[in-house]
């Protein structure tokens, strides 16, 4: 963890300090979390390399465009990074729609529907974990336009790297359905969905422990299978 006076100025507020003090008490758990991330991500990349190759070929055959989707997101301390995912939408999808996906979104490809259903589109994020921009369990990384709407308390989620999964991700795994009837998906997401997801994310910091992370990963696998 960075020292308090090394945090970005907009994070040096009382609302964030509460969560900072909680994490300060779990430095050992944070070290274990990082070691686990590096070791497991490296092992999975080796074991799943044939799967990654096959999915890459199928994506390329299914629709025009690159195999990977790269987008600027925000992680710990407000750092910007390029998330790495398998492409599940048509080429240049961001230019023809909102940055959140709604149910029945016509931009999603046939292969994309399959990947999203099994969350296999997240596999390339193993590379983001190795570089330290992401972790297995943590607040999902948002694009800058949504981070700009964070309240002071929400900024506490930036004390840790962005995650591949979280309790909020499990509870809102059908998020697309919540936005399907929205006239303005961005507005609904910013003012209704995001605040509710953040309640789970902030609660996760309050209850932080390495073993809670493991429980969340197991719950994620169970949710995908279900």
């Amino acid at each position: 963890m960075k020292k308090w006076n090394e945090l970005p100025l907009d994070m040096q507020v009382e609302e964030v300090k509460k969560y900072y003090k909680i994490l300060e008490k779990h430095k050992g758990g944070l070290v274990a979390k990082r070691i686990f991330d590096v070791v497991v991500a490296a092992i999975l990349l080796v074991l799943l390399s044939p799967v990654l190759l096959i999915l890459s070929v199928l994506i390329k055959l299914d629709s025009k465009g690159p195999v990977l989707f790269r987008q600027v997101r925000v992680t710990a301390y407000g750092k910007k990074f390029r998330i790495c995912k398998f492409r599940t939408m048509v080429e240049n999808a961001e230019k023809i729609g909102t940055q959140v996906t709604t149910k029945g979104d016509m931009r999603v490809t046939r292969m994309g529907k399959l990947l999203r259903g099994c969350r296999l589109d997240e596999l390339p994020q193993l590379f983001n974990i190795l570089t330290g921009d992401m972790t297995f369990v943590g607040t999902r990384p948002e694009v800058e336009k949504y981070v700009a709407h964070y309240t002071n308390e929400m900024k506490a989620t930036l004390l840790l790297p962005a995650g591949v999964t979280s309790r909020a991700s499990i509870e809102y795994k059908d998020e697309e359905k919540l936005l399907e009837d929205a006239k303005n998906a961005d507005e609904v997401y910013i003012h209704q969905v995001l605040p509710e997801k953040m309640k789970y994310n902030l609660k996760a910091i309050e209850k932080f422990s390495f073993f809670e992370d493991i429980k969340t990963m197991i719950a994620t696998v169970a949710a995908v299978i279900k």
Side-chain angles (χ1 to χ4, degrees), residues 4-225:
W4 176 255
N5 60 8
E6 294 177 345
L7 298 183
L9 291 178
D10 66 329
M11 291 181 67
Q12 294 183 38
V13 294
E14 288 302 314
E15 293 89 339
V16 172
K17 183 175 287 187
K18 166 189 172 182
Y19 298 95
Y20 182 86
K21 288 182 176 180
I22 291 173
L23 293 176
E24 264 194 322
K25 299 176 182 177
H26 295 279
K27 290 182 179 179
L30 292 172
V31 172
K33 178 183 177 72
R34 181 56 187 156
I35 294 174
F36 176 87
D37 283 346
V38 172
V39 173
V40 176
I43 292 173
L44 287 178
L45 279 172
V46 173
L47 295 178
L48 297 176
S49 55
V51 176
L52 294 171
L53 178 59
I54 292 171
L55 291 178
S56 297
V57 173
L58 292 175
I59 291 169
K60 200 66 180 176
L61 292 174
D62 180 58
S63 60
K64 179 182 178 182
V67 169
L68 297 177
F69 170 72
R70 305 296 303 277
Q71 185 184 53
V72 176
R73 299 285 181 97
V74 180
T75 187
Y77 311 119
K79 176 188 174 184
K80 299 172 187 176
F81 76 105
R82 293 180 68 82
I83 195 171
C84 189
K85 303 175 68 174
F86 277 130
R87 179 177 59 82
T88 60
M89 289 188 168
V90 296
E91 192 173 19
N92 298 319
E94 291 178 288
K95 298 179 180 179
I96 54 176
T98 178
Q99 289 184 308
V100 290
T101 309
T102 58
K103 184 182 178 183
D105 198 317
M106 298 302 292
R107 297 173 299 169
V108 179
T109 63
R110 289 174 299 176
M111 190 63 191
K113 291 179 182 178
L114 174 62
L115 293 173
R116 285 170 176 262
C118 301
R119 295 196 67 173
L120 292 176
D121 58 315
E122 312 281 2
L123 287 179
Q125 287 168 48
L126 290 170
F127 292 105
N128 291 128
I129 291 175
L130 282 180
T131 61
D133 289 323
M134 292 186 70
T135 179
F136 277 107
V137 179
T139 301
R140 286 295 295 163
E142 298 285 1
V143 295
E144 295 175 79
K145 67 180 287 186
Y146 297 143
V147 175
H149 290 274
Y150 278 13
T151 63
N152 281 345
E153 187 175 31
M154 289 178 183
K155 291 175 184 176
T157 60
L158 299 177
L159 289 170
L160 296 171
V164 174
T165 188
S166 65
R167 287 290 173 180
S169 298
I170 297 171
E171 295 296 328
Y172 282 83
K173 62 185 177 66
D174 296 322
E175 179 182 299
E176 296 174 2
K177 295 180 181 179
L178 299 176
L179 301 172
E180 65 176 316
D181 296 323
K183 292 182 179 179
N184 188 321
D186 278 334
E187 287 297 313
V188 173
Y189 182 76
I190 291 170
H191 298 295
Q192 296 182 35
V193 178
L194 183 60
E196 291 302 312
K197 289 170 66 175
M198 280 299 184
K199 290 180 182 178
Y200 287 99
N201 294 327
L202 293 169
K203 193 70 175 178
I205 296 178
E206 291 179 344
K207 297 172 58 180
F208 174 80
S209 77
F210 175 68
F211 295 106
E212 279 296 320
D213 276 10
I214 300 300
K215 287 167 59 177
T216 298
M217 291 177 69
I218 294 173
T220 298
V221 174
V224 171
I225 295 174

